[in-house]
């Protein structure tokens, strides 16, 4: 689901992927950038190196980020957004220009170790209503042709990060797996093309979504602790959904004659907020469980070789669409300011500790809150909270979230402060009529943190906050109707 995708929102319990031919070096991470106050690329690259992260997956080809990755020793997968697929599918020249600008330039003279081009991102999600079904393969073919023409096709491989809903099983057993009937022919064409060009199959795996989508899903089956009773599939035992979903893909490939095609786990992780199952403890449990598997070199029953994977994600993104769910903004191992959320051993010399970003300056220690004297029956309360949440981030409010236990005053203050911080603590951003005030007393309560934004050169322009992805109407109604009264 990555940067702005709806991938995690296709609530298919089959969510999956992995296995790679040959040995795998260090773990990779997804670096998404849909943030109102992004860390500078140079700080993020240093953070990657400090944590021993050797591979990074990007969702576009931002020149500032690629410049920061020069001579870093970090392997890079650059991305092509879905909205570019039509142009690239219909113009070889456009594909050649894209490769020249975003790959050749950085590889030849820039010292950027680009290994993959990700053509599109989860383009076959059912939520896209077949929008990209006719353009993905032609775009893939044209980018491959452009790489070949530039002399880079042996060094840089194409791939298409796909959601696990492109395949399914008619039972709980992986051996009954196959590609989704409506796109089976297209998937076989894409797989054949990848195979012919020595390229990998990339799929995003989200056991969290299995739990999110199905209240009856066994919680422990989403983790790596040996859930029992295991599923016995012709002598192969599956005690976690990751293995089962991954091998469903392997069977789908095998049944179509491509049983040895390399597989990359494009995204795998667990969110820390925005849902009752999204919290620090579960995220640490899942990611450490996965990393322990990864570091041991253990694959899956069908693919016992080491896994090639990219954790999702590096840093929270407070401007992502929350259409799939409020958890979308909380996938990071690090908060918006680059500070680690929990202990995690990534297999580097640092051991169990994640290393945070250095030299990050925060705004002043002040918050916008509800005035103690404010009248909760004021007609301005509900629209003020709705406006704040539409134009900032209130996804930590609600049932089972980190701020789910706040009272009415706390909910309103949280909304006001979120808007205030996103707008760089401008005086005018704490002028909710007769309701708000600025305080230097931290209103945080327990695990509910009223965060202060960081100072950035590229912070949101004052007065331009309306360009942020709008919070779902239902969520605003939920806030106004349920949290306030």
């Amino acid at each position: 689901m990555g940067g702005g995708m709806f991938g995690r929102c296709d609530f298919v319990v089959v969510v999956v992927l992995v296995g790679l031919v040959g040995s795998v070096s260090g773990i990779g991470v997804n670096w998404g950038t849909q943030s109102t106050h992004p860390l500078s690329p140079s700080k993020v690259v240093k953070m990657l190196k400090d944590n021993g992260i050797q591979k990074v997956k990007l969702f576009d080809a931002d020149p500032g980020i690629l410049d920061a990755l020069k001579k870093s020793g970090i392997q890079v997968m650059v991305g092509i957004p879905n909205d570019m697929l039509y142009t690239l599918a219909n113009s070889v020249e456009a594909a050649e220009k894209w490769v020249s600008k975003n790959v050749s330039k950085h590889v030849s003279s820039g010292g950027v170790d680009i290994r993959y081009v990700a053509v599109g991102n989860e383009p076959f999600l059912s939520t896209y209503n077949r929008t990209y079904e006719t353009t993905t393969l032609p775009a893939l073919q044209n980018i491959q042709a452009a790489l070949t023409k530039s002399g880079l096709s042996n060094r840089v491989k194409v791939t298409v990060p796909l959601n696990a809903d492109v395949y399914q099983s008619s039972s709980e057993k992986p051996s009954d797996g196959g590609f989704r009937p409506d796109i089976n022919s297209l998937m076989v064409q894409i797989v054949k093309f990848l195979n012919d060009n020595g390229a990998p199959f990339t799929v995003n795996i989200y056991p969290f979504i299995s739990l999110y989508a199905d209240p009856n899903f066994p919680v422990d089956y989403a983790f790596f602790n040996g859930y029992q009773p295991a599923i016995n599939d012709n002598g192969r035992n599956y005690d976690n959904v990751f293995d089962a979903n991954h091998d469903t893909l392997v069977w789908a490939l095998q049944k179509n004659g491509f049983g040895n095609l390399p597989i990359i786990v494009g995204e795998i992780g667990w969110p820390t907020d925005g849902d009752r199952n999204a919290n620090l403890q579960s995220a640490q449990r899942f990611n450490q469980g996965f990393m322990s598997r990864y570091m041991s070199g253990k694959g899956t029953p069908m693919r016992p070789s080491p896994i090639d994977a990219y954790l999702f994600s590096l840093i929270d993104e407070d401007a992502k669409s929350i259409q799939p769910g409020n958890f979308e903004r909380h996938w990071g191992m690090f908060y918006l300011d680059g500070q680690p959320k929990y202990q995690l051993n990534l297999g580097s010399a640092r051991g169990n500790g994640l290393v945070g970003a250095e030299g990050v300056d925060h705004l002043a220690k002040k918050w916008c809150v509800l005035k103690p004297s404010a009248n909760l029956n004021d007609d301005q309360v509900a629209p003020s909270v709705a406006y704040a949440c539409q134009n900032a981030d209130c996804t930590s409010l609600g049932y089972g979230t980190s701020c789910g236990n706040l009272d009415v005053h706390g909910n309103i203050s949280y909304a006001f402060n979120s808007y205030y911080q996103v707008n760089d603590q401008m005086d005018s951003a704490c002028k909710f009529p007769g309701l708000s005030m600025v305080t230097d007393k931290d209103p945080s309560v327990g695990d509910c943190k009223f965060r202060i934004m960081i100072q950035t050169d590229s912070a949101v322009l004052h007065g331009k906050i309306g360009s942020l992805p709008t919070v779902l109407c239902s969520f605003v109604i939920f806030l106004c109707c349920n949290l306030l009264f």
Side-chain angles (χ1 to χ4, degrees):
M1 261 213 42
M5 22 275 131
F6 290 35
R8 291 182 223 72
C9 107
D10 198 85
F11 303 139
V12 178
V13 174
V14 186
V15 176
V16 190
L17 143 57
V18 60
L20 176 76
V21 175
S23 63
V24 174
S25 54
I27 190 69
V29 296
N30 285 266
W31 177 359
T33 57
Q34 296 187 61
S35 172
T36 61
H37 290 65
L39 291 167
S40 69
S42 60
K43 282 186 171 63
V44 176
V45 171
K46 185 178 188 306
M47 187 167 68
L48 292 170
K49 296 175 73 172
D50 286 346
N51 284 282
I53 295 168
Q54 300 176 22
K55 300 178 298 186
V56 67
K57 177 169 167 280
L58 308 174
F59 295 95
D60 53 22
D62 182 276
I65 288 176
L66 290 171
D67 284 344
L69 286 163
K70 286 180 181 177
K71 298 179 174 60
S72 64
I74 296 171
Q75 298 175 15
V76 181
M77 180 187 293
V78 295
I80 296 176
N82 289 338
D83 60 11
M84 293 182 65
L85 294 177
Y86 180 85
T87 299
L88 296 173
N90 287 282
S91 171
V92 175
E93 182 183 5
E96 290 175 353
K97 286 182 177 178
W98 190 92
V99 167
S100 175
K101 176 183 178 182
N102 300 300
V103 182
S104 302
K105 172 185 174 183
H106 296 286
V107 169
S108 59
S109 60
V112 184
D113 189 7
I114 297 176
R115 299 294 182 95
Y116 300 104
V117 175
V119 182
N121 189 69
E122 301 184 332
F124 305 142
L125 286 174
S126 57
T127 48
Y128 288 149
N129 295 318
R130 312 189 73 169
T131 301
Y132 307 110
E133 284 186 20
T134 60
T135 54
T136 299
L137 179 55
L140 186 70
Q141 292 168 329
N142 286 346
I143 290 293
Q144 176 65 47
L147 288 170
T148 300
K149 186 175 180 179
S150 66
L152 291 172
S153 58
N154 288 328
R155 175 173 180 170
V156 182
K157 299 298 182 180
V158 293
T159 189
V160 182
L162 295 163
N163 183 272
D165 78 340
V166 299
Y167 55 90
Q168 58 194 33
S169 173
S170 58
S171 71
E172 62 182 10
K173 296 181 177 181
S175 60
D176 289 324
F179 291 121
R180 206 171 77 206
D182 63 307
I183 56 170
N184 181 72
S185 176
L186 176 58
M187 285 303 304
V188 173
Q189 291 179 66
I190 288 175
V191 167
K192 183 179 186 305
F193 184 82
L194 295 173
N195 183 72
D196 290 348
N197 289 281
F201 191 110
T202 301
V203 181
N204 301 337
I205 312 172
Y206 284 102
F208 168 80
I209 294 301
S210 299
L211 199 56
Y212 180 81
D214 180 4
N216 296 315
F217 188 86
V219 174
D220 288 343
Y221 192 50
F223 296 90
F224 297 95
N225 302 104
Y227 177 77
Q228 296 298 325
I231 294 172
N232 186 312
D233 187 2
N234 297 315
R236 296 182 178 89
N237 291 317
Y238 293 90
D239 61 9
N240 67 86
V241 71
F242 174 87
D243 283 358
N245 287 340
H246 165 271
D247 283 0
T248 304
L249 169 59
V250 176
W251 277 102
L253 291 170
Q254 188 167 294
K255 288 174 183 177
N256 286 286
F258 301 98
N260 293 320
L261 190 69
I263 299 173
I264 290 176
V265 183
E267 300 176 17
I268 182 166
W270 199 281
T272 58
D273 210 349
D275 181 71
R276 63 188 181 90
N277 292 308
N279 53 65
L280 295 173
Q281 294 75 24
S282 293
Q284 197 277 341
R285 177 188 176 190
F286 180 85
N287 283 336
Q288 194 59 72
F290 178 75
M291 283 307 306
S292 296
R293 283 275 304 271
Y294 179 91
M295 291 184 290
S296 74
K298 179 185 177 183
T300 65
M302 288 292 289
R303 287 280 185 95
S305 55
I307 297 167
D308 191 6
Y310 296 79
L311 294 174
F312 193 90
S313 69
L314 186 64
I315 304 168
D316 279 351
E317 299 173 78
D318 66 331
K320 282 190 71 177
S321 166
I322 59 168
Q323 187 161 348
N326 291 329
F327 53 82
E328 276 300 321
R329 297 177 179 173
H330 303 279
W331 289 93
M333 298 181 289
F334 295 85
Y335 292 109
L336 292 168
D337 61 359
Q339 297 311 301
K341 294 181 178 180
Y342 45 80
Q343 293 294 301
L344 185 64
N345 181 1
L346 295 178
S348 69
R350 296 280 186 169
N352 290 329
L354 293 173
V355 181
E358 296 180 353
V360 178
D361 295 319
H362 291 76
L363 300 176
K365 290 186 177 180
K366 55 183 182 178
W367 299 261
C368 179
V369 297
L370 180 70
K371 282 182 179 179
S373 60
N375 178 6
L376 292 181
N377 294 317
D378 190 316
D379 289 343
Q380 293 298 316
V381 171
S384 293
V385 171
Y387 180 81
C389 289
Q390 283 174 333
N391 295 296
D393 180 24
C394 293
T395 55
S396 291
L397 298 176
Y399 174 70
T401 60
S402 65
C403 296
N405 293 323
L406 293 179
D407 60 15
V408 173
H409 290 80
N411 283 315
I412 298 170
S413 291
Y414 189 95
F416 287 176
N417 184 65
S418 181
Y419 182 80
Y420 180 63
Q421 300 297 337
V422 164
N423 282 281
D424 298 318
Q425 298 183 352
M426 285 193 304
D427 289 342
S428 60
C430 192
K431 298 290 186 183
F432 296 96
L435 299 171
S436 56
M437 58 174 273
V438 174
T439 179
D440 59 3
K441 182 180 179 181
D442 187 349
S444 299
V445 180
D447 291 336
C448 179
K449 306 300 183 186
F450 283 58
R451 301 200 175 276
I452 296 173
M453 277 295 178
I454 64 174
Q455 296 181 18
T456 61
D457 295 332
S458 56
V460 188
L461 295 176
H462 297 322
K464 299 294 185 182
I465 244 334
S467 65
L468 283 177
T470 302
V471 179
L472 284 178
C473 293
S474 59
F475 182 56
V476 173
I477 293 170
F478 170 72
L479 273 172
C480 296
C481 298
N482 294 298
L483 293 181
L484 299 184
F485 305 111

